[in-house]
Amino acid sequence: MSEYPVVCPECGENKSDGQTCADAFHVLLAWEWEFEMQDVHHLLVLCYHLQHPSLYSPDGLKSALELLIAFVEAEMSPQEMRRQIWQRINSGQRDFKITARPDAHGIYAKPVLWEMRVWDCVRAGHENYYRIVRTWSESVFSPLKASGNLAGISTHGMFK
Ligand SMILES: [Zn+2]
């Protein structure tokens, strides 16, 4: 028996078999290794965390939203995204923590209704992995924008 609630408190996934969103995330990570499909790894990590924002610190969530906007609206390639992420991690200027702390975690100002969730990627099968993660990233973007959670967030300064 799982100790987890059936409905994910963050993304709303409704699994009757007690499996969690983290289980699905780990299935996808295993595929990346097993089938040597790591081109969209950072996009997977981004989408998963954006649908589970309490994994981020408030600043980490804002930074992740900037990356999503850059990817979907400015059509940043996964390779460029990887470069940007490394730049941030390696930058001495980074003065915030990306991951949540007990006293500070990311939360959306307005509720978001997701159209796709991490289990949908598992259901699509590994042969559709790249395509489904890209579709997922667009489906994560749309309701975030529609709900007003992207207001005030820009990619200013990302493309230098
Ligand atoms: Zn979830």
Side-chain angles (χ1 to χ4, degrees):
M1 285 293 287
S2 169
E3 295 174 25
Y4 295 95
V6 171
V7 176
C8 175
E10 295 222 62
C11 75
E13 173 70 56
N14 193 336
K15 288 282 287 175
S16 56
D17 57 9
Q19 288 184 292
T20 67
C21 292
D23 293 332
F25 185 54
H26 288 117
V27 167
L28 299 176
L29 291 175
W31 284 356
E32 290 189 344
W33 286 102
E34 185 178 354
F35 303 107
E36 294 182 17
M37 300 187 296
Q38 291 166 338
D39 287 3
V40 296
H41 173 74
H42 289 94
L43 201 50
L44 163 69
V45 172
L46 184 70
C47 290
Y48 176 72
H49 283 72
L50 281 173
Q51 289 196 330
H52 301 88
S54 77
L55 297 171
Y56 281 127
S57 69
D59 283 339
L61 177 59
K62 187 163 172 283
S63 179
L65 289 171
E66 290 171 2
L67 275 175
L68 181 72
I69 293 170
F71 184 79
V72 175
E73 283 201 323
E75 299 184 342
M76 178 191 274
S77 69
Q79 290 75 22
E80 173 65 10
M81 177 181 285
R82 185 158 51 225
R83 204 180 64 78
Q84 289 275 351
I85 290 170
W86 273 107
Q87 220 168 40
R88 286 171 186 223
I89 290 170
N90 295 329
S91 162
Q93 298 166 343
R94 201 185 68 155
D95 57 357
F96 60 84
K97 288 227 185 303
I98 286 182
T99 51
R101 298 181 298 279
D103 60 333
H105 57 77
I107 187 166
Y108 292 119
K110 302 180 176 80
V112 187
L113 282 174
W114 305 112
E115 295 151 15
M116 271 180 77
R117 298 174 180 83
V118 64
W119 277 105
D120 292 311
C121 298
V122 175
R123 288 184 203 107
H126 68 82
E127 61 279 9
N128 297 308
Y129 181 62
Y130 284 170
R131 187 179 57 75
I132 200 76
V133 172
R134 282 181 170 276
T135 305
W136 187 27
S137 68
E138 285 158 21
S139 89
V140 166
F141 177 79
S142 301
L144 277 172
K145 185 163 191 175
S147 60
N149 282 295
L150 299 184
I153 296 185
S154 81
T155 56
H156 176 72
M158 277 189 69
F159 300 96
K160 283 181 224 165

